[in-house]
């Protein structure tokens, strides 16, 4: 009964309640690592990243040495990311990729997240490869939105590496395939502005912000301005995680236009 209540609370996003119930389960069965692993996931969602890592580590100590939980590794990597511990996150993502490749291919979300970490470490060539693998894997599973996101990330790496013509071609391909992609068009606008293509930059930006951005993401939901995020330097760097040169191009575009 406690387990069902914990699961129900977690699914309903009642995270504090789920955490308390999982704590009770851990106290009843202190040698069962799954309760610590599940509690750690609650802590990740609560953004208590250091506590989450402690619980993940304690769960690993309770599991048999030969048992490897891909979910634990992936989620602990997220906790490391929350602490901006990119090397810690990369260790866990690399391990997921290694273990997954032994039986099939790594989950595309892991490959994309691994690319994000490599980008944060300034390892742009490796990030590009990880994003391209993520794109290919998303496509094979017919996940169009995931493939578009990963391909856009790969294009950002091309731009950061100075391969601007290739990056623009990729962003244009993403924009054609995903008519609603503000991200690709914002990047295109920034790149075109930086090349002195002022009219093309303005046209691309206005298309994204006037024709695509309806301002409402869900029916009956609040009105939001998706384009506003692309004027927010902190969001671009820390949340969307564009690479440095692209953030600089975007900020020059939105401030000088």
């Amino acid at each position: 009964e406690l387990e069902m209540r914990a699961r129900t609370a977690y699914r309903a996003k009642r995270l504090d309640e789920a955490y308390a119930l999982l704590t009770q389960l851990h106290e009843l069965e202190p040698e069962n690592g799954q309760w610590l692993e599940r509690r750690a996931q609650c802590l990740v969602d609560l953004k208590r990243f250091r506590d989450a890592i402690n619980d993940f580590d304690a769960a690993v100590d309770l599991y048999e040495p030969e048992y490897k939980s891909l979910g634990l590794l992936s989620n602990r990597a997220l906790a490391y990311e929350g602490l901006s511990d990119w090397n810690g996150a990369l260790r866990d993502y690399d391990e997921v990729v290694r273990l997954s490749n032994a039986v099939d291919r790594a989950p595309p979300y892991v490959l994309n997240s691994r690319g994000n970490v490599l980008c944060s470490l300034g390892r742009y060539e490796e990030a590009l490869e990880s994003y391209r693998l993520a794109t290919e894997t998303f496509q094979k599973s017919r996940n169009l939105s995931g493939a578009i996101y990963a391909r856009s990330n790969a294009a950002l790496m091309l731009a950061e590496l100075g391969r601007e013509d290739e990056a623009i071609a990729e962003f244009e391909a993403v924009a054609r395939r995903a008519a609603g992609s503000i991200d690709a068009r914002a990047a295109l606008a920034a790149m075109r502005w930086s090349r002195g293509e002022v009219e093309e930059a303005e046209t691309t930006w206005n298309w994204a912000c006037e024709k695509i951005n309806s301002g409402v993401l869900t029916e009956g939901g609040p009105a939001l301005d998706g384009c506003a995020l692309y004027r927010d330097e902190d969001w671009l760097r820390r949340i969307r995680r564009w690479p440095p040169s692209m953030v600089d191009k975007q900020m020059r575009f939105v401030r000088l236009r």
Side-chain angles (χ1 to χ4, degrees), residues 36 39-44 48-57 75-76 79:
L36 285 173
R39 190 173 74 173
Q41 184 57 57
C42 281
L43 289 166
V44 171
R48 292 170 54 185
F49 301 118
R50 176 53 60 192
D51 290 337
I53 290 169
N54 290 339
D55 267 9
F56 282 132
D57 290 347
N75 290 319
R76 187 170 64 183

Side-chain angles (χ1 to χ4, degrees), residues 4-214:
M4 182 61 68
R5 287 169 58 196
R7 186 174 300 164
T8 299
Y10 183 78
R11 288 175 178 170
K13 304 298 183 184
R14 300 195 305 270
L15 299 176
D16 289 322
E17 179 184 345
Y19 175 84
L21 291 165
L22 288 164
T23 297
Q24 291 182 53
L25 284 162
H26 170 59
E27 290 170 349
L28 289 169
E29 300 179 13
E31 301 303 312
N32 189 336
Q34 70 166 319
W35 307 131
L36 285 173
E37 182 177 347
R38 292 188 192 180
R39 190 173 74 173
Q41 184 57 57
C42 281
L43 289 166
V44 171
D45 293 349
L46 287 164
K47 302 189 185 306
R48 292 170 54 185
F49 301 118
R50 176 53 60 192
D51 290 337
I53 290 169
N54 290 339
D55 267 9
F56 282 132
D57 290 347
V60 169
D61 290 341
L62 290 172
Y63 291 147
E64 294 296 324
E66 64 273 12
Y67 174 71
K68 302 291 184 183
S69 169
L70 298 184
L72 184 151
L73 291 166
S74 299
N75 290 319
R76 187 170 64 183
L78 285 175
Y80 280 124
E81 286 195 73
L83 296 173
S84 300
D85 183 346
W86 312 124
N87 287 304
L90 184 61
R91 281 195 303 273
D92 278 348
Y93 285 137
D94 279 347
E95 183 70 355
V96 173
V97 171
R98 186 187 68 81
L99 293 169
S100 299
N101 286 342
V103 292
D104 193 5
R105 175 169 288 186
Y109 291 104
V110 169
L111 291 167
N112 191 78
S113 294
R114 182 174 176 271
N116 291 341
V117 170
L118 288 164
C119 176
S120 294
L121 288 167
R123 294 162 61 176
Y124 303 118
E125 287 280 5
E126 294 169 86
L128 173 61
E129 179 62 22
S130 201
Y131 287 137
R132 282 178 164 169
L133 284 172
T135 302
E136 180 184 333
T137 310
F138 275 126
Q139 288 173 337
K140 286 184 176 180
S141 62
R142 301 185 183 279
N143 184 331
L144 176 60
S145 62
I148 290 298
Y149 190 63
R151 191 174 181 182
S152 188
N153 284 336
L156 288 166
M157 294 305 100
L158 288 170
E160 189 66 22
L161 289 164
R163 296 158 62 178
E164 290 201 356
D165 290 342
E166 292 177 74
I168 287 174
E170 282 294 290
F171 281 127
E172 287 175 340
V174 169
R176 285 194 302 271
R177 193 169 183 201
S181 174
I182 294 174
D183 195 76
R185 286 175 173 81
L188 273 173
M191 295 190 75
R192 286 171 172 157
W193 180 274
S194 74
R195 288 154 69 108
E197 301 167 4
V198 175
E199 185 176 346
E200 294 89 340
E202 291 284 4
T203 298
T204 302
W205 177 259
N206 289 336
W207 181 276
C209 293
E210 293 174 13
K211 295 186 182 296
I212 294 175
N213 182 33
S214 66

Side-chain angles (χ1 to χ4, degrees), residues 193 245 247-257:
W193 180 274
S245 73
V247 175
D248 292 343
K249 285 181 174 68
Q250 179 68 3
M251 289 302 100
R252 284 195 294 271
F253 170 60
V254 297
R255 288 168 183 165
L256 297 176
R257 60 189 291 269

